[in-house]
Amino acid sequence: MRLLYSILIIFAINLTIDDNSARANDEVPLLEFDSIVFPEVASMGMVTSQEVRATEVGVKILEQGGNAVDAAVAVGFTLAVTLPRAGNIGGGGFMLIYDAKKQEVNALDYREKAPMLASEDMFLNWRNNVDQTKARYSLLSSGVPGTVAGLVEAHKKYGSMPFEKLVQPAIELAKGMPMTYALSQSLNSRKQFLSFDQGSREIFIKPDGKNWQVGEQFKQENLAQTLSLIAETEGRDFYHGKTAKKIADYFKKNDGLMTLSDLKAYKAVWRKPVSTNFKGYDIYSMPPPSSGGTHLIQLLNIIKEFSIENSGASSARTSHLKTQAMKYVYADRSEYLGDPDFVSVPVERLTSQTYAKEIAKKIDLKKATSSANIKPGLYIDKESSQTTHFSVMDKNGNIVSNTYTLNFSFGSGKSIPEVGFLLNNEMDDFSAKPGSPNGYGLIGGEANKIEPGKRPLSSMTPVIALNRGKPWLATGSPGGSKIITTVFNFLLNRIVYNMNIAEATITPRIHHQWYPDTLFLEKGYPFDSMQELKTMGHNVIYRKPWGSLQSIEFQSGVFMGFADTRRPGALAKGYYEQANESTKNNTN
Ligand code: DON
């Protein structure tokens, strides 16, 4: 009896120890249901993207034993078919990768490049003003596409499955797929814009001109053909073969600037991510030619100087401090940021804690400093833009965080019919004239002027974060100039206010970009905080929701994914061990 009693006590103590050690790792306890919104959960891996089918393709690749990069490559190609407004092979982007074996984060730059015939004043009219139609909707607005080179390069370095297999799902979908609600809505709402161009009309508009209906077959046969050539040649055809020739011919025939030599010369580039430690987490993001990472790090460094945990996530005090920090970093953006292959960008200084302290000291705790007292500028507001982010984590802890884009929704609106894809209008991200705003109202100068072969400055901010050296989080979003602050809002909600990733995503965002001197508040931001911000001197305005965060967190052996609910059609999905797999493991 005594023996039995002792055994029971030892057993009880063990249970308590196990329980405590598990809890110590759980910063957001998974089973306490203390939030009104909860992420998707799985045990083996997770994919989150803005499009249902793309996410499903990614999960299938993981289930077949592919790693996070394999799945990301498949998702990237699939989105080019299923989310044509932003997914692409005619655009470019940035991929951040965590290699679990080497325990390192690597950054892949596959941003578009200006053609060699581009020139500094190519978008200026006879009055020396920027011709916005030329910069945004003409063939001149397209940079040399980088997406295919990027996905091929990521696969070459990290992929484990045959490349062809990863493009196959996209090829099948391009041959024909039933319209989803989200796709029909996106095509129907831009019908007029897409019918201006003959190529886009052929691909995206029904021959009878009527609206697309949910469930109708949507076929992109020429795109399927282009993707097949990419699959067979591991991308070579796109830059050197038949497709390259078709692209170059199209540009020549229609007075564009892109040539076969531009395509042949295109290379994706590996770069060193920018990073900081924020409250114990190592946050990594994209260095120039994106401004996103540099300014996200700056924002985190500045906000670290204040004890914002003492006020609520959407309180006037926290919002005021965030806003002031935003004004300073967007002012820096206009001055210092550009393609590091062309200009020297002071990334180290900008991302240093010393510089963050200097800025923090200038911030008045009670009053808004007007943007005019920070630096001058102009602004044109522009909505209806698209980019897309997806994140993948695999069972071995590898992570991909990828943002890519055509710039505006459906890019320049122009497609090359024979190859079946849309062209970007990324050239508008250059500063066409110092002080003249781009499509997002962002002002640039010398550092971001147009030069042959140069990459335009971006705001895309893919993020990977580690928790004490272990894989933890991936996130990113579309939103033009608002991308940086969308990611910043999210990280503060998750890390400082301990919200789960779903809650951190849906909480209303705030945004300031120095010019205009306006604080944008998302629908749902508390009214009384808004009133208080007004009395502090902020020019506040409510706006319809923006951004679309696609996040994954790994914690205590569980993958949590959340696809932003702000736009239809997004999906976070993971998978569990198959029954036969677990039997296999048990017998081993
Ligand atoms: O690279 C950039 O910053 C822009 N071309 C991104 C555009 C974008 O996010 C549009 N999405 N809403």
Side-chain angles (χ1 to χ4, degrees):
M1 185 67 203
R2 255 178 105 174
L3 184 66
L4 184 66
Y5 191 58
S6 320
I7 289 172
L8 275 177
I9 287 188
I10 291 167
F11 185 62
I13 289 171
N14 271 338
L15 271 185
T16 325
I17 292 168
D18 279 342
D19 190 38
N20 282 343
S21 58
R23 289 292 300 275
N25 289 331
D26 276 354
E27 278 128 66
V28 178
L30 281 176
L31 293 174
E32 283 191 5
F33 304 127
D34 56 355
S35 174
I36 53 168
V37 55
F38 210 73
E40 181 68 22
V41 182
S43 67
M44 296 292 280
M46 181 73 68
V47 179
T48 175
S49 87
Q50 268 189 277
E51 207 281 325
V52 172
R53 287 176 179 134
T55 294
E56 279 166 353
V57 163
V59 173
K60 234 177 227 148
I61 296 291
L62 292 180
E63 280 177 323
Q64 287 165 12
N67 63 26
V69 174
D70 294 323
V73 169
V75 172
F77 281 116
T78 302
L79 285 169
V81 178
T82 59
L83 190 79
R85 66 172 193 255
N88 66 81
I89 53 173
F94 302 109
M95 186 181 280
L96 221 57
I97 299 169
Y98 176 69
D99 177 347
K101 227 186 232 155
K102 293 202 175 132
Q103 302 194 346
E104 65 182 22
V105 182
N106 230 326
L108 182 60
D109 166 5
Y110 60 94
R111 179 77 162 164
E112 300 91 326
K113 287 175 93 161
M116 289 312 281
L117 292 173
S119 56
E120 191 178 342
D121 56 2
M122 63 188 272
F123 295 130
L124 299 185
N125 61 20
W126 61 278
R127 288 184 143 166
N128 210 30
N129 289 331
V130 178
D131 178 338
Q132 292 181 345
T133 310
K134 221 182 201 178
R136 295 171 194 175
Y137 305 110
S138 78
L139 264 196
L140 302 184
S141 71
S142 301
V144 184
T147 296
V148 175
L151 298 179
V152 168
E153 180 60 32
H155 176 262
K156 204 160 85 189
K157 193 166 165 81
Y158 293 107
S160 71
M161 280 172 68
F163 183 78
E164 266 190 277
K165 247 188 147 166
L166 305 175
V167 195
Q168 202 53 41
I171 299 173
E172 293 310 319
L173 287 160
K175 283 182 185 162
M177 62 180 183
M179 262 297 158
T180 56
Y181 166 77
L183 182 55
S184 63
Q185 186 252 7
S186 145
L187 293 177
N188 292 342
S189 66
R190 301 306 304 280
K191 197 158 79 179
Q192 198 188 3
F193 174 64
L194 290 168
S195 33
F196 288 144
D197 178 69
Q198 193 203 328
S200 296
R201 203 164 50 233
E202 277 176 31
I203 304 168
F204 300 112
I205 310 291
K206 281 168 57 171
D208 62 6
K210 292 206 172 124
N211 273 352
W212 288 101
Q213 303 296 318
V214 178
E216 250 180 311
Q217 272 293 309
F218 177 50
K219 294 185 181 171
Q220 304 175 79
E221 275 144 8
N222 290 349
L223 178 58
Q225 177 60 24
T226 303
L227 288 168
S228 301
L229 289 169
I230 291 173
E232 280 163 31
T233 63
E234 293 209 13
R236 214 184 138 70
D237 177 73
F238 191 88
Y239 294 99
H240 299 265
K242 284 190 199 132
T243 304
K245 184 147 184 335
K246 282 182 186 163
I247 299 173
D249 285 351
Y250 178 84
F251 272 80
K252 195 166 178 188
K253 206 168 97 201
N254 295 286
D255 301 323
L257 297 182
M258 205 186 300
T259 63
L260 194 56
S261 351
D262 284 322
L263 288 158
K264 282 185 174 165
Y266 188 88
K267 296 248 169 329
V269 191
W270 291 102
R271 301 195 188 270
K272 187 176 169 292
V274 286
S275 65
T276 191
N277 186 279
F278 184 70
K279 302 198 181 280
Y281 297 95
D282 291 312
I283 314 284
Y284 293 87
S285 190
M286 198 65 211
S290 184
S291 64
T294 304
H295 298 311
L296 173 70
I297 301 300
Q298 248 189 308
L299 285 168
L300 292 170
N301 287 347
I302 297 169
I303 214 74
K304 230 189 257 176
E305 297 295 321
F306 302 94
S307 47
I308 58 164
E309 53 280 9
N310 296 338
S311 41
S314 296
S315 65
R317 179 177 175 269
T318 298
S319 303
H320 167 72
L321 293 169
K322 281 160 75 171
T323 303
Q324 292 307 104
M326 288 172 190
K327 289 188 202 175
Y328 280 98
V329 309
Y330 277 85
D332 282 345
R333 186 189 190 279
S334 75
E335 187 76 24
Y336 305 117
L337 273 280
D339 181 349
D341 294 344
F342 282 74
V343 290
S344 124
V345 186
V347 175
E348 245 166 65
R349 170 129 201 274
L350 289 169
T351 56
S352 72
Q353 199 56 41
T354 322
Y355 183 53
K357 276 186 206 293
E358 276 171 35
I359 294 177
K361 270 196 213 126
K362 293 186 202 157
I363 294 179
D364 187 314
L365 295 178
K366 301 255 177 284
K367 257 190 4 250
T369 310
S370 79
S371 295
N373 290 333
I374 298 174
K375 232 167 223 211
L378 297 163
Y379 179 78
I380 295 169
D381 192 10
K382 185 95 190 175
E383 294 283 340
S384 172
S385 42
Q386 278 293 349
T387 292
T388 193
H389 183 87
F390 56 88
S391 303
V392 185
M393 274 196 208
D394 70 25
K395 61 177 189 236
N396 296 318
N398 299 302
I399 311 175
V400 171
S401 179
N402 186 94
T403 318
Y404 74 158
T405 187
L406 290 166
N407 193 22
F408 286 8
S409 184
F410 298 101
S412 65
K414 294 192 177 301
S415 303
I416 307 178
E418 304 84 49
V419 291
F421 63 84
L422 277 156
L423 294 163
N424 69 81
N425 61 344
E426 222 73 62
M427 292 291 285
D428 187 58
D429 273 347
F430 277 117
S431 170
K433 180 183 165 184
S436 186
N438 73 358
Y440 304 97
L442 290 166
I443 303 153
E446 273 296 298
N448 189 32
K449 70 176 183 199
I450 306 175
E451 291 179 74
K454 189 178 181 183
R455 290 171 153 96
L457 187 59
S458 170
S459 299
M460 291 188 275
T461 315
V463 164
I464 287 179
L466 306 181
N467 182 2
R468 293 173 210 99
K470 295 269 179 292
W472 179 59
L473 188 106
T475 192
S477 174
S481 56
K482 295 190 178 85
I483 295 176
I484 307 170
T485 54
T486 296
V487 173
F488 177 57
N489 282 295
F490 169 84
L491 287 176
L492 296 190
N493 291 343
R494 173 63 195 91
I495 297 174
V496 179
Y497 299 106
N498 210 23
M499 298 179 193
N500 71 40
I501 56 167
E503 202 175 4
T505 301
I506 62 162
T507 298
R509 297 167 186 152
I510 68 168
H511 171 80
H512 200 299
Q513 60 180 48
W514 172 54
Y515 274 97
D517 193 351
T518 304
L519 172 56
F520 297 99
L521 306 171
E522 247 186 351
K523 197 175 166 179
Y525 180 85
F527 188 78
D528 50 356
S529 298
M530 182 276 284
Q531 294 282 33
E532 214 175 316
L533 284 165
K534 257 180 158 173
T535 61
M536 293 170 106
H538 293 279
N539 303 314
V540 299
I541 182 168
Y542 276 103
R543 268 296 159 90
K544 65 179 188 189
W546 62 79
S548 181
L549 284 161
Q550 305 299 325
S551 313
I552 303 179
E553 176 176 342
F554 179 74
Q555 204 195 106
S556 312
V558 174
F559 294 90
M560 288 171 276
F562 192 73
D564 209 324
T565 44
R566 280 169 179 76
R567 306 194 187 173
L571 177 71
K573 193 173 169 187
Y575 73 108
Y576 287 90
E577 209 168 3
Q578 301 295 322
N580 52 4
E581 247 179 80
S582 71
T583 339
K584 238 192 313 182
N585 289 345
N586 287 346
T587 49
N588 276 343

